[in-house]
Amino acid sequence: MSTTICCLLYGDYTKLADRCLRPISELYNNGVEVRLGCNETSQDTEDLINKLLPPSERLTVIRHNPQVYKYPIMRELFNVKPITTDKVMWFDDDSFIKDTNPIGWLNSTQEFMDNTKADMIGSLYYMPVSHKQQQWRRLHCSWFKPELHKSKACFATGGWWTIKSEVITKYDWPHPMLKHRGGDVLLGELMSHAGLKLVRYNTGIGINSDSEGKESQSKRRGYDEPPI
């Protein structure tokens, strides 16, 4: 398999963790590397991890209590050891593989990305970019090109996406100043300004899903802040 799977787990939401990790465990049992970031996870969630993902050299678990928020732990997961696969797939714990054949789904997802020559795939949305955000990018993002700035950013919503590993390495993603919100829009802008190809894809995947699996309907939990 040419994909490393990274997943963020938070708090005492074991049902969500189970929905997310159970299909991932099938991939893990078939040779896929998995990296888990655990922010203030409960004992029930820890027990679930131990049940579904027995220790091996293909499993990395990073734990923080109190939590360090989304992007610092993402940065740790990407840098704890070298990424040896061509692609990295990201899950928030309210996203999950809906397809009943996770292995076939992963193969199809990888093939789609290869066939479309995409640098990143995900479920695409648009968000206005404020003048202050534009100024922040100008000051803090080496890839920012003022002549390419648009009033709206196209981005893959942050609950699930897949990206070429070389993009993470080249652009040192995620930005070290990111904390918890705004990273998905910022990554979308990076893709655009760097001339990289972002392609829509949400086949067989529930992203930020409610109990019925509807996309972007999961309620926000825990810490919140304005987007960077």
Side-chain angles (χ1 to χ4, degrees):
M1 297 291 183
S2 63
T3 301
T4 296
I5 291 178
C6 295
C7 179
L8 171 65
L9 303 169
Y10 166 70
D12 186 17
Y13 296 95
T14 308
K15 287 184 179 180
L16 284 180
D18 187 279
R19 187 179 70 170
C20 178
L21 292 179
R22 197 163 290 274
I24 289 175
S25 71
E26 291 191 43
L27 301 177
Y28 177 69
N29 290 332
N30 281 272
V32 175
E33 181 184 349
V34 174
R35 302 183 184 189
L36 303 180
C38 299
N39 270 333
E40 297 180 358
T41 45
S42 67
Q43 186 59 53
D44 285 346
T45 297
E46 292 290 336
D47 292 343
L48 178 72
I49 293 170
N50 293 332
K51 175 183 176 182
L52 294 179
L53 300 162
S56 81
E57 62 181 12
R58 289 180 291 102
L59 180 67
T60 300
V61 183
I62 294 175
R63 297 176 174 88
H64 286 284
N65 194 352
Q67 68 160 314
V68 296
Y69 309 105
K70 177 172 179 174
Y71 290 102
I73 206 167
M74 178 188 290
R75 192 169 175 85
E76 281 192 74
L77 290 174
F78 292 169
N79 290 283
V80 64
K81 59 183 178 180
I83 298 169
T84 59
T85 55
D86 297 333
K87 304 172 184 68
V88 170
M89 182 177 292
W90 180 266
F91 287 82
D92 285 355
D93 59 4
D94 54 6
S95 300
F96 68 106
I97 300 168
K98 298 170 76 171
D99 196 298
T100 56
N101 179 5
I103 299 167
W105 173 83
L106 179 60
N107 287 331
S108 296
T109 301
Q110 292 175 154
E111 289 174 7
F112 174 86
M113 196 166 173
D114 292 339
N115 292 339
T116 59
K117 301 188 185 311
D119 296 294
M120 181 181 185
I121 60 173
S123 189
L124 303 190
Y125 291 78
Y126 291 85
M127 182 74 72
V129 178
S130 72
H131 177 70
K132 286 185 177 181
Q133 287 175 316
Q134 180 186 358
Q135 293 302 104
W136 188 92
R137 282 116 166 91
R138 186 191 300 271
L139 286 171
H140 299 294
C141 300
S142 60
W143 46 261
F144 183 82
K145 297 178 180 178
E147 68 275 14
L148 297 181
H149 174 71
K150 298 178 182 178
S151 60
K152 283 189 176 182
C154 175
F155 65 97
T157 190
W160 177 88
W161 42 256
T162 304
I163 197 168
K164 285 185 177 178
S165 304
E166 63 190 35
V167 177
I168 292 172
T169 302
K170 181 176 180 178
Y171 295 99
D172 191 27
W173 185 261
H175 194 290
M177 292 175 69
L178 276 168
K179 185 175 181 181
H180 199 66
R181 286 191 64 197
D184 47 6
V185 175
L186 189 64
L187 182 53
E189 288 186 286
L190 186 161
M191 301 296 292
S192 174
H193 286 234
L196 300 172
K197 189 173 183 181
L198 174 60
V199 177
R200 184 184 302 276
Y201 185 89
N202 60 356
T203 302
I205 186 84
I207 306 173
N208 295 135
S209 296
D210 63 10
S211 60
E212 297 178 357
K214 294 180 181 178
E215 182 173 307
S216 297
Q217 296 301 310
S218 178
K219 294 181 180 179
R220 189 172 293 278
R221 296 165 287 138
Y223 176 79
D224 199 6
E225 65 179 9
I228 196 165

